[in-house]
């Protein structure tokens, strides 16, 4: 149950942090503060799936989607931003879930690869549909690639750290089992 709680809280926290703080700007890259947490949400989702299976994970994704949309709306986001967030969330979480399910690799590698794909979809869809002139017109077209790439870089770093930590935990658990 702790895994599910961490997953849901990380998504709500990402929305709150994104709304509360100005985006970071590293050179040409624009990174909403919540992006630092989004990479973690993919890891928590994978941990939920690892423990509870695919069907229950999809139930958790639906709950997370509803919570995320409600929090986003309550924080003052326009319906277009809420829609873009919800769409990118559903596509990214579904991609993450399906890739994680199909890969026949150690858990740390499944977390890494599925999270990278999920993070890619989340970044591209949200920025294009929500922030570009196609959406809420918050970013001009010339800033869109930098916003997408900046988010992908941060999410990939978070996924890498999560995968490394999970790999190390797994190795330690194996050593305990072998020596015990």
């Amino acid at each position: 149950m702790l895994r599910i709680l961490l997953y849901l809280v990380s998504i709500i926290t990402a929305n709150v942090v994104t709304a509360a703080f100005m985006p970071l700007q590293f050179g040409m890259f624009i990174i909403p503060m919540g992006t630092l947490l989004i990479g973690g949400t993919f890891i928590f989702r994978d941990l939920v799936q690892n423990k509870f299976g695919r069907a229950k994970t999809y139930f958790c994704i639906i709950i997370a989607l509803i919570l995320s949309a409600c929090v986003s709306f309550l924080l003052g986001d326009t319906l277009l931003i809420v829609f873009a967030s919800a769409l990118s969330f559903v596509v990214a979480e579904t991609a993450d879930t399906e890739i994680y399910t199909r890969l026949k690799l150690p858990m740390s590698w499944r977390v890494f690869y599925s999270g990278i794909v999920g993070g890619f979809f989340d970044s591209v869809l949200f920025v294009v549909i929500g922030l570009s002139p196609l959406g809420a017109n918050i970013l001009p077209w010339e800033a869109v690639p930098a916003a997408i790439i900046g988010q992908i870089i941060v999410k990939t770093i978070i996924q890498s750290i999560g995968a490394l930590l999970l790999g190390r935990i797994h190795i330690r658990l194996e050593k305990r089992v072998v020596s015990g």
Side-chain angles (χ1 to χ4, degrees):
M1 202 61 172
L2 179 61
R3 294 173 190 214
I4 294 171
L5 185 63
L6 287 171
Y7 172 61
L8 296 175
V9 168
S10 68
I11 290 165
I12 292 167
T13 305
N15 280 337
V16 171
V17 168
T18 298
F21 298 100
M22 292 298 296
L24 297 172
Q25 191 152 2
F26 291 108
M28 65 183 230
F29 300 117
I30 304 163
I31 304 155
M33 292 295 286
T35 302
L36 300 170
L37 300 168
I38 295 298
T41 65
F42 290 119
I43 296 166
F44 290 135
R45 196 223 48 79
D46 292 337
L47 292 173
V48 167
Q49 183 174 352
N50 200 52
K51 173 128 181 140
F52 298 104
R54 190 167 152 232
K56 287 185 182 176
T57 298
Y58 273 113
F59 178 74
C60 290
I61 290 170
I62 292 168
I63 299 298
L65 173 65
I66 293 167
L67 288 172
S68 178
C70 288
V71 168
S72 182
F73 184 73
L74 291 172
L75 290 170
D77 288 336
T78 65
L79 286 177
L80 182 60
I81 295 292
V82 173
F83 170 75
S85 178
L87 180 64
S88 64
F89 180 82
V90 167
V91 171
E93 293 292 323
T94 300
D96 188 293
T97 301
E98 293 305 315
I99 290 168
Y100 184 87
T101 298
R102 286 168 174 72
L103 288 175
K104 304 301 179 210
L105 298 169
M107 183 182 177
S108 59
W109 286 107
R110 292 188 299 163
V111 165
F112 178 72
Y113 290 128
S114 65
I116 288 195
V117 173
F120 173 82
F121 282 130
D122 186 61
S123 300
V124 171
L125 289 173
F126 182 71
V127 171
V128 171
I129 295 170
L131 304 178
S132 78
L134 183 65
N137 201 22
I138 294 170
L139 295 175
W141 280 117
E142 52 273 4
V144 167
I148 292 170
I149 292 168
Q151 287 188 39
I152 290 171
I153 289 169
V154 169
K155 290 171 188 172
T156 300
I157 290 169
I158 301 298
Q159 286 300 129
S160 299
I161 292 168
L164 285 170
L165 290 173
L166 288 172
R168 293 202 184 274
I169 291 168
H170 182 72
I171 289 169
R172 286 188 180 155
L173 291 174
E174 281 183 348
K175 285 182 180 178
R176 285 185 187 167
V177 169
V178 170
S179 64

